[in-house]
Amino acid sequence: MPAFGLRRPAVTTRLTRKIALAGVGAAVLALPVAGATSASAAPAADSTTATTTAAMTAANGYSNNLDGWIRQSLDIMADKGIPGTYNGIYRNIIRESSGNQFAINNWDINAINGTPSKGLLQVIKPTFDAYHVEGTSWDPYDPVANITAACNYAADRYGSMDNVYSAY
């Protein structure tokens, strides 16, 4: 079912109302505080990726936000025969990064070994490189490239991103 068809609970918290009143920018800034416990924002130097993704996403008719990135990835995945659904991808993104495309995990064993997981679906560089999908950026912070590579990996390992319910 598309995200817009999902029913939202009637009860909202004070924080949720404040974020909604403050606007989308505040919501994005609040995401790591509100939901992510294992990832933090990457350095601002990666903003070039956001600009490149924004231009490509807009040029292709997709929104430059989480919904658009997932939809663009799904179209690429369909062309390449990679299984996955909107709901499976969205669920994993929210768990892994709270929707922060610049999330980076600097504390787990991968980070300790020098390969922190990055981006919306928290992919380490060797996995990103091995499962990169032709036609997407080679930057792991690029939302479409990150989603598509992670889904390609999940398809190979678990059959689909839809079958992933924890760290993978």
Side-chain angles (χ1 to χ4, degrees), residues 77-155:
M77 291 163 55
D79 287 344
K80 305 291 184 179
I82 302 168
T85 65
Y86 187 101
N87 288 341
I89 295 168
Y90 180 84
R91 170 178 39 84
N92 281 286
I93 287 173
I94 296 305
R95 187 192 68 254
E96 292 290 337
S97 70
S98 296
N100 178 358
Q101 78 182 84
F102 297 114
I104 183 168
N105 181 328
N106 284 315
W107 66 268
D108 72 0
I109 190 65
N110 291 317
I112 291 167
N113 290 333
T115 56
S117 49
K118 300 175 180 180
L120 290 170
L121 283 165
Q122 293 292 283
V123 181
I124 61 172
K125 184 165 178 36
T127 302
F128 180 83
D129 290 348
Y131 289 91
H132 174 263
V133 175
E134 187 177 335
T136 65
S137 169
W138 280 94
D139 184 341
Y141 289 111
D142 180 284
V144 174
N146 188 279
I147 293 168
T148 310
C151 288
N152 193 22
Y153 167 75

Side-chain angles (χ1 to χ4, degrees), residues 26-90:
V28 171
L29 291 174
L31 284 174
V33 174
T37 58
S38 63
S40 60
D46 297 309
S47 62
T48 307
T49 301
T51 305
T52 304
T53 300
M56 287 178 52
T57 301
N60 292 324
Y62 300 97
S63 301
N64 187 31
N65 58 26
L66 185 56
D67 178 69
W69 301 330
I70 294 171
R71 292 182 189 284
Q72 186 174 2
S73 293
L74 283 168
D75 285 347
I76 294 167
M77 291 163 55
D79 287 344
K80 305 291 184 179
I82 302 168
T85 65
Y86 187 101
N87 288 341
I89 295 168
Y90 180 84

